[in-house]
Amino acid sequence: TAQPKAPKETYRTASVSSERYLSTLNVPVDITTAEVTRQLNARLSGLLYEDDSLRDDDFACKVWKRAPIRVEAASDSFVFHVPLKVWAKFGYGFKPLGLNLSTYKETDFEADVRFATGVSLNPDWTARTHTEWRGFDWVSKPSLRIGPVTIPIASIVGKILTRNRETITKGIDDAVHKNVEIRKQVVQAWNAALQPYLLSEQYRAWLKVTPIELLMTPLRTDGDRIRATVGIRAVTQTVFGERPVVKPVTNVPDLKLVPTVPAAFRVSLVAQLTHAEARRLLADTLRGRQFSFSDNRYTVRVTDVDLYGSDDKLILKVDVTGSLNGTVYFR
């Protein structure tokens, strides 16, 4: 029978560190132009553009998408082939038999228009595009019918469209800025990342990730793909015990735009284990275990186990029965 004197329970609180170590992960983003095409056609349908004011330039028009949009990657931008149906109304003047007449006429036609658009993200997660007019091809040329006479006006309408190209491209950029909501998806992804992940049901071990900031390189095209790299800086912890409670966020930090994100990554994994949870793990592991010594001449069975601190040492208190009855302390 052994009942030794228990080592004194003392703690050095000054040695407890609350320092948080940041982990840095890099996540490559790879999107095919086929996926951009699919999403673009899903978002854009029907009436795309409308200018119903004749006061500023004697020109009004409505523009519809006629067929699916095609997307190609070129250099640092995307080239969009947009099949359009256009209705136009404009002031038209002519001088038959020396008479000076002017009136408003309407026409409709079809054309395939080309735009080149550079895409990027602002720090506030809004989408920023810069669209340039790349010309168009007639599918059906516009004309005016005045009495029995049909007057081809393709060259006139072409000049009007070209003259208004800045208005049209600005309308596209404004529509993207207003309608492409990215922050909402980032908040959802951020909250998904906050959810603890169960590593081990037996040891009740949870991986807890707390994102701190997000970095992103500029989007660039590579063949038929759009590539970028997202850098995530987060605090990663292993927590033992009950599932950690996390509060969902309603906002995320501004995006940090950087030229490059380091290819290497680092994970600093901090483990938090309370004494109570450590006692439970020890008891589940050791309670009821038998140990034999000296060619099985002696055998002890663990009946209980505990732990505590003694200055900078960890003390294990183990109660045993069998060839030895009592308590054994391990420093």
Side-chain angles (χ1 to χ4, degrees):
T1 299
Q3 294 294 339
K5 182 179 179 181
K8 185 178 181 181
E9 183 174 1
T10 57
Y11 299 96
R12 295 181 179 179
T13 55
S15 65
V16 177
S17 174
S18 60
E19 182 180 356
R20 301 203 301 176
Y21 298 90
L22 282 180
S23 298
T24 303
L25 310 174
N26 65 75
V27 181
V29 177
D30 192 335
I31 308 171
T32 64
T33 52
E35 178 63 16
V36 174
T37 302
R38 186 190 68 79
Q39 293 195 26
L40 189 63
N41 281 293
R43 286 179 176 272
L44 300 179
S45 61
L47 184 65
L48 302 181
Y49 176 77
E50 181 176 12
D51 177 7
D52 56 3
S53 175
L54 293 167
R55 295 179 180 180
D56 51 354
D57 55 2
D58 284 337
F59 178 77
C61 72
K62 293 182 180 180
V63 181
W64 294 267
K65 187 178 81 169
R66 189 183 80 250
I69 299 171
R70 293 188 298 111
V71 181
E72 297 176 356
S75 185
D76 58 349
S77 63
F78 306 105
V79 177
F80 300 95
H81 299 264
V82 188
L84 298 177
K85 177 181 179 180
V86 182
W87 167 87
K89 182 177 182 179
F90 54 92
Y92 184 78
F94 59 100
K95 299 178 180 180
L97 303 177
L99 297 177
N100 188 6
L101 301 176
S102 181
T103 186
Y104 285 103
K105 294 296 182 180
E106 298 181 14
T107 185
D108 56 69
F109 55 91
E110 296 180 351
D112 291 339
V113 182
R114 296 181 299 278
F115 301 98
T117 299
V119 183
S120 59
L121 294 179
N122 294 313
D124 64 356
W125 296 99
T126 55
R128 181 174 71 249
T129 60
H130 177 68
T131 302
E132 296 180 354
W133 179 271
R134 289 288 180 89
F136 64 94
D137 299 314
W138 296 116
V139 176
S140 61
K141 292 185 177 181
S143 61
L144 286 180
R145 188 173 182 83
I146 302 175
V149 181
T150 299
I151 304 174
I153 57 170
S155 61
I156 298 174
V157 173
K159 290 179 181 179
I160 294 174
L161 286 175
T162 302
R163 188 171 69 239
N164 286 270
R165 64 184 182 274
E166 291 185 2
T167 302
I168 296 173
T169 55
K170 184 178 184 301
I172 294 173
D173 291 337
D174 290 344
V176 171
H177 182 79
K178 293 178 182 177
N179 296 310
V180 178
E181 175 59 56
I182 298 174
R183 182 180 288 271
K184 182 178 180 181
Q185 281 74 24
V186 174
V187 170
Q188 292 175 349
W190 193 278
N191 282 318
L194 287 175
Q195 299 306 309
Y197 178 78
L198 182 62
L199 297 175
S200 169
E201 186 173 355
Q202 176 183 359
Y203 297 110
R204 299 203 303 175
W206 301 87
L207 176 64
K208 182 181 177 183
V209 179
T210 306
I212 301 298
E213 64 179 358
L214 292 178
L215 315 173
M216 185 174 179
T217 63
L219 295 170
R220 59 182 177 86
T221 57
D222 183 6
D224 64 344
R225 297 177 179 273
I226 302 99
R227 301 183 188 274
T229 301
V230 174
I232 303 174
R233 287 180 178 162
V235 175
T236 50
Q237 297 170 293
T238 303
V239 181
F240 294 86
E242 298 295 332
R243 185 180 191 274
V245 177
V246 296
K247 294 182 179 180
V249 301
T250 57
N251 205 351
V252 291
D254 285 348
L255 175 65
K256 288 189 175 181
L257 302 173
V258 295
T260 59
V261 173
F265 64 87
R266 181 188 70 182
V267 177
S268 301
L269 198 57
V270 178
Q272 290 186 350
L273 181 63
T274 64
H275 279 192
E277 188 64 21
R279 291 188 190 99
R280 187 192 69 81
L281 290 174
L282 280 171
D284 289 347
T285 304
L286 294 177
R287 188 182 289 133
R289 291 280 302 276
Q290 290 194 162
F291 298 92
S292 299
F293 309 93
S294 301
D295 296 328
N296 295 325
R297 286 187 296 167
Y298 306 105
T299 299
V300 294
R301 179 175 177 271
V302 177
T303 60
D304 203 2
V305 64
D306 198 358
L307 64 85
Y308 60 88
S310 181
D311 290 334
D312 58 347
K313 303 295 183 182
L314 178 67
I315 305 300
L316 299 184
K317 176 186 176 184
V318 182
D319 295 334
V320 296
T321 60
S323 301
L324 176 67
N325 298 295
T327 302
V328 180
Y329 293 93
F330 297 90
R331 179 181 281 107

